[in-house]
Amino acid sequence: MQIQENYSLIKHNTFHLDVRARWFVQYDSEEDLKRLLNDEYFFSQTFWHIGQGSNLLFLGDYNGIIIHSGIKGIELLKEDDKYVWVKAGAAEDWDSFVAYCVEQGWGGLENLSFIPGEVGASAFQNIGAYGVEVSEFIDSVHTYFLETGEKKLFTREECNYSYRHSFFKEVSNRGLYYITHVIYRLNKNPDFRLDYGNVKASLEGKEVNLKNIREAIIRIRKEKLPDPEKAGNAGSFFMNPYISTIELRELQKNYPSIPFYVCDESRVKIPAAWLIDQCGLKGKTYGGAAVHQKQPLVIINSDKATGEDIALLGEEVRRIVYETFKIELQPEVNYI
Ligand code: EPU
């Protein structure tokens, strides 16, 4: 277990905000975690568990304990003719894990290449990209329940997954379960997903296999999304909003080319990037924060931004989009 006092979180959030935690605790095993959950001092403080900080916005210093898992390891649990079941520690770097699965010839996660973050967060957030959500490939999730200090295993159904949502994100469960391991069920004979955006076009002339799909996804992401090492960001700042088909028909009167994805008979999802773009907000700044020029759904730390700059710019974007379209954007980024 590593314990640090007055610790800079600059390397633990991809906005690269130099905020401090009163305490930073990293547990490296389940035994460490059990010790932490039996500690009275720990429970007398405010505390929050983070992953790689790729979806977090710190609004200021954290006067409590920031906890991070150091539990690593990748293990092939079992296999049959069609599938493999792979167990990964919550602290495994997500993209290294995807690369490993692609190398082994295990299909499913390749469209989720190059997403910053860790294995634990993939199961918490239900990360998704290029026509795939990770929940499709999650078999079960190992956790510790804070209220009793006991282990609890969640099946995929119990995780209650939907778009960028899980049981663990629900208000009444938030912060109460620490994910230690995730078990994924991956395909030995993958069915490739190439229908989203320009994935198929990026593979032109190349054999369709896991490695080439992964490379195409990495190319597409590098083109569109800012590198957090150069301009701190947390990927999409907002979720894509759902609206009813009735609202869509109303909007189509003024915006006949509005893009949408059909969800069911009564609902569609609108790309928030399009709404923000239509409001002319690309490049808009507040303090050191800016709306990214190429993908306006991303807010970047362009020049020594504070958490407040980023939050206020986000609020301004939300307000303008609401005034223009009467659609409320919900942040995907978690504020601390
Ligand atoms: N668009 C514009 N102007 C732009 C950019 C995009 O109008 O400058 C419109 C276009 O109509 C485009 C549409 O927005 O077709 C969708 O854009 P894109 O394909 O880039 O995807 P997105 O909906 O903005 C989502 C995820 C991303 C994920 C991509 C690819 C959310 C909130 N975001 O973005 O996830 O990588 O799809 O699948 O669902 C993340 O969550 O951090 C993230 C990056």
Side-chain angles (χ1 to χ4, degrees), residues 5 24 34 45 70 72 74 83 93 113 135 162 168-169 177 219 225 277 288:
E5 194 175 358
F24 180 80
K34 278 190 236 161
Q45 301 292 302
K72 298 227 178 188
I74 300 174
Y83 304 110
D93 174 67
S113 289
S135 53
S162 57
F168 311 109
K169 275 185 92 172
Y177 295 86
R219 260 198 317 277
L225 296 167
D277 197 359

mmCIF file of all heavy atoms in Angstrom, residues 5 24 34 45 70 72 74 83 93 113 135 162 168-169 177 219 225 277 288:
data_model
loop_
_atom_site.group_PDB
_atom_site.id
_atom_site.type_symbol
_atom_site.label_atom_id
_atom_site.label_comp_id
_atom_site.label_asym_id
_atom_site.label_seq_id
_atom_site.Cartn_x
_atom_site.Cartn_y
_atom_site.Cartn_z
ATOM 1 N N GLU A 5 1.082 12.153 1.432
ATOM 2 C CA GLU A 5 0.350 13.301 1.969
ATOM 3 C C GLU A 5 0.565 14.514 1.061
ATOM 4 O O GLU A 5 1.640 14.652 0.468
ATOM 5 C CB GLU A 5 0.842 13.604 3.390
ATOM 6 C CG GLU A 5 -0.087 14.551 4.112
ATOM 7 C CD GLU A 5 0.294 14.782 5.565
ATOM 8 O OE1 GLU A 5 1.267 14.176 6.044
ATOM 9 O OE2 GLU A 5 -0.400 15.602 6.214
ATOM 10 N N PHE A 24 -3.182 10.597 -0.659
ATOM 11 C CA PHE A 24 -3.341 9.736 -1.835
ATOM 12 C C PHE A 24 -2.964 8.321 -1.400
ATOM 13 O O PHE A 24 -1.885 8.100 -0.859
ATOM 14 C CB PHE A 24 -2.427 10.200 -2.969
ATOM 15 C CG PHE A 24 -2.546 9.368 -4.209
ATOM 16 C CD1 PHE A 24 -3.596 9.572 -5.099
ATOM 17 C CD2 PHE A 24 -1.624 8.367 -4.497
ATOM 18 C CE1 PHE A 24 -3.713 8.809 -6.254
ATOM 19 C CE2 PHE A 24 -1.734 7.599 -5.652
ATOM 20 C CZ PHE A 24 -2.784 7.825 -6.531
ATOM 21 N N LYS A 34 -8.717 -4.720 1.829
ATOM 22 C CA LYS A 34 -9.453 -5.134 3.035
ATOM 23 C C LYS A 34 -8.957 -4.347 4.239
ATOM 24 O O LYS A 34 -9.743 -3.934 5.085
ATOM 25 C CB LYS A 34 -9.273 -6.640 3.267
ATOM 26 C CG LYS A 34 -10.209 -7.469 2.413
ATOM 27 C CD LYS A 34 -10.183 -8.920 2.837
ATOM 28 C CE LYS A 34 -9.822 -9.791 1.667
ATOM 29 N NZ LYS A 34 -9.359 -11.108 1.979
ATOM 30 N N GLN A 45 -12.853 10.192 7.136
ATOM 31 C CA GLN A 45 -12.505 11.222 6.150
ATOM 32 C C GLN A 45 -13.461 11.177 4.952
ATOM 33 O O GLN A 45 -14.144 10.182 4.748
ATOM 34 C CB GLN A 45 -11.079 10.960 5.607
ATOM 35 C CG GLN A 45 -10.004 10.954 6.665
ATOM 36 C CD GLN A 45 -9.785 12.332 7.258
ATOM 37 O OE1 GLN A 45 -9.482 13.276 6.557
ATOM 38 N NE2 GLN A 45 -9.968 12.444 8.567
ATOM 39 N N GLY A 70 -4.125 -0.432 -7.494
ATOM 40 C CA GLY A 70 -2.904 -0.849 -8.200
ATOM 41 C C GLY A 70 -3.014 -2.323 -8.576
ATOM 42 O O GLY A 70 -2.001 -2.946 -8.891
ATOM 43 N N LYS A 72 -3.213 -5.406 -10.599
ATOM 44 C CA LYS A 72 -2.928 -5.710 -12.015
ATOM 45 C C LYS A 72 -3.078 -7.196 -12.281
ATOM 46 O O LYS A 72 -3.410 -7.954 -11.390
ATOM 47 C CB LYS A 72 -1.500 -5.262 -12.336
ATOM 48 C CG LYS A 72 -1.316 -3.770 -12.160
ATOM 49 C CD LYS A 72 -0.608 -3.192 -13.324
ATOM 50 C CE LYS A 72 -0.481 -1.701 -13.134
ATOM 51 N NZ LYS A 72 0.020 -1.034 -14.272
ATOM 52 N N ILE A 74 -3.385 -10.184 -15.861
ATOM 53 C CA ILE A 74 -4.317 -10.662 -16.896
ATOM 54 C C ILE A 74 -4.222 -12.183 -16.882
ATOM 55 O O ILE A 74 -3.116 -12.737 -16.924
ATOM 56 C CB ILE A 74 -3.920 -10.131 -18.299
ATOM 57 C CG1 ILE A 74 -3.946 -8.592 -18.305
ATOM 58 C CG2 ILE A 74 -4.847 -10.690 -19.369
ATOM 59 C CD1 ILE A 74 -3.437 -7.965 -19.595
ATOM 60 N N TYR A 83 -15.417 -19.108 -27.357
ATOM 61 C CA TYR A 83 -15.063 -17.965 -26.512
ATOM 62 C C TYR A 83 -13.864 -18.220 -25.602
ATOM 63 O O TYR A 83 -13.539 -19.370 -25.296
ATOM 64 C CB TYR A 83 -16.247 -17.597 -25.591
ATOM 65 C CG TYR A 83 -17.524 -17.305 -26.318
ATOM 66 C CD1 TYR A 83 -18.605 -18.192 -26.236
ATOM 67 C CD2 TYR A 83 -17.666 -16.150 -27.080
ATOM 68 C CE1 TYR A 83 -19.793 -17.917 -26.899
ATOM 69 C CE2 TYR A 83 -18.852 -15.866 -27.745
ATOM 70 C CZ TYR A 83 -19.906 -16.756 -27.656
ATOM 71 O OH TYR A 83 -21.076 -16.486 -28.320
ATOM 72 N N ASP A 93 -3.826 -0.940 -17.620
ATOM 73 C CA ASP A 93 -4.066 0.134 -18.581
ATOM 74 C C ASP A 93 -4.981 -0.409 -19.695
ATOM 75 O O ASP A 93 -4.714 -1.474 -20.257
ATOM 76 C CB ASP A 93 -2.719 0.575 -19.177
ATOM 77 C CG ASP A 93 -2.913 1.574 -20.284
ATOM 78 O OD1 ASP A 93 -3.355 2.689 -19.982
ATOM 79 O OD2 ASP A 93 -2.648 1.230 -21.462
ATOM 80 N N SER A 113 -10.077 0.511 -29.097
ATOM 81 C CA SER A 113 -8.638 0.799 -28.993
ATOM 82 C C SER A 113 -8.406 2.271 -28.693
ATOM 83 O O SER A 113 -9.191 3.139 -29.111
ATOM 84 C CB SER A 113 -7.943 0.488 -30.327
ATOM 85 O OG SER A 113 -7.897 -0.901 -30.531
ATOM 86 N N SER A 135 -19.826 -3.290 -22.521
ATOM 87 C CA SER A 135 -20.739 -4.173 -21.778
ATOM 88 C C SER A 135 -21.087 -5.443 -22.556
ATOM 89 O O SER A 135 -21.361 -6.475 -21.955
ATOM 90 C CB SER A 135 -22.011 -3.416 -21.418
ATOM 91 O OG SER A 135 -22.570 -2.828 -22.559
ATOM 92 N N SER A 162 -26.319 0.435 -19.912
ATOM 93 C CA SER A 162 -26.894 1.068 -21.099
ATOM 94 C C SER A 162 -25.870 2.136 -21.522
ATOM 95 O O SER A 162 -24.781 2.183 -20.940
ATOM 96 C CB SER A 162 -28.272 1.667 -20.809
ATOM 97 O OG SER A 162 -28.175 2.593 -19.760
ATOM 98 N N PHE A 168 -23.123 0.851 -11.170
ATOM 99 C CA PHE A 168 -22.131 1.514 -10.302
ATOM 100 C C PHE A 168 -22.206 3.039 -10.413
ATOM 101 O O PHE A 168 -21.750 3.750 -9.540
ATOM 102 C CB PHE A 168 -20.711 1.037 -10.651
ATOM 103 C CG PHE A 168 -20.614 -0.453 -10.721
ATOM 104 C CD1 PHE A 168 -20.438 -1.107 -11.941
ATOM 105 C CD2 PHE A 168 -20.737 -1.213 -9.573
ATOM 106 C CE1 PHE A 168 -20.392 -2.488 -12.003
ATOM 107 C CE2 PHE A 168 -20.682 -2.598 -9.624
ATOM 108 C CZ PHE A 168 -20.515 -3.239 -10.852
ATOM 109 N N LYS A 169 -22.755 3.535 -11.553
ATOM 110 C CA LYS A 169 -22.848 4.984 -11.746
ATOM 111 C C LYS A 169 -24.145 5.549 -11.173
ATOM 112 O O LYS A 169 -24.307 6.758 -11.086
ATOM 113 C CB LYS A 169 -22.830 5.303 -13.261
ATOM 114 C CG LYS A 169 -21.443 5.403 -13.845
ATOM 115 C CD LYS A 169 -21.496 5.828 -15.299
ATOM 116 C CE LYS A 169 -21.400 7.316 -15.477
ATOM 117 N NZ LYS A 169 -21.272 7.701 -16.902
ATOM 118 N N TYR A 177 -19.023 0.730 -4.383
ATOM 119 C CA TYR A 177 -18.430 -0.541 -4.823
ATOM 120 C C TYR A 177 -17.071 -0.256 -5.450
ATOM 121 O O TYR A 177 -16.981 0.594 -6.339
ATOM 122 C CB TYR A 177 -19.331 -1.224 -5.862
ATOM 123 C CG TYR A 177 -20.660 -1.642 -5.290
ATOM 124 C CD1 TYR A 177 -21.728 -0.739 -5.240
ATOM 125 C CD2 TYR A 177 -20.849 -2.918 -4.778
ATOM 126 C CE1 TYR A 177 -22.942 -1.104 -4.687
ATOM 127 C CE2 TYR A 177 -22.068 -3.292 -4.233
ATOM 128 C CZ TYR A 177 -23.108 -2.377 -4.180
ATOM 129 O OH TYR A 177 -24.311 -2.739 -3.639
ATOM 130 N N ARG A 219 -5.762 5.335 -35.849
ATOM 131 C CA ARG A 219 -5.559 6.422 -36.826
ATOM 132 C C ARG A 219 -6.712 7.422 -36.749
ATOM 133 O O ARG A 219 -6.487 8.632 -36.678
ATOM 134 C CB ARG A 219 -5.512 5.844 -38.243
ATOM 135 C CG ARG A 219 -4.125 5.681 -38.814
ATOM 136 C CD ARG A 219 -4.129 5.531 -40.333
ATOM 137 N NE ARG A 219 -5.148 4.653 -40.873
ATOM 138 C CZ ARG A 219 -5.050 3.327 -40.955
ATOM 139 N NH1 ARG A 219 -3.962 2.709 -40.512
ATOM 140 N NH2 ARG A 219 -6.025 2.589 -41.466
ATOM 141 N N LEU A 225 -9.217 13.393 -32.266
ATOM 142 C CA LEU A 225 -9.232 13.730 -30.837
ATOM 143 C C LEU A 225 -7.874 14.262 -30.402
ATOM 144 O O LEU A 225 -6.836 13.726 -30.792
ATOM 145 C CB LEU A 225 -9.606 12.487 -30.020
ATOM 146 C CG LEU A 225 -11.014 11.961 -30.278
ATOM 147 C CD1 LEU A 225 -11.194 10.567 -29.697
ATOM 148 C CD2 LEU A 225 -12.051 12.902 -29.688
ATOM 149 N N ASP A 277 -21.453 22.398 -32.706
ATOM 150 C CA ASP A 277 -20.914 22.939 -33.957
ATOM 151 C C ASP A 277 -21.897 23.944 -34.580
ATOM 152 O O ASP A 277 -21.522 25.068 -34.969
ATOM 153 C CB ASP A 277 -20.670 21.745 -34.913
ATOM 154 C CG ASP A 277 -19.758 22.095 -36.059
ATOM 155 O OD1 ASP A 277 -19.331 23.261 -36.144
ATOM 156 O OD2 ASP A 277 -19.465 21.199 -36.886
ATOM 157 N N GLY A 288 -8.325 29.534 -19.490
ATOM 158 C CA GLY A 288 -7.385 28.673 -20.231
ATOM 159 C C GLY A 288 -8.046 27.477 -20.877
ATOM 160 O O GLY A 288 -7.354 26.562 -21.348
#
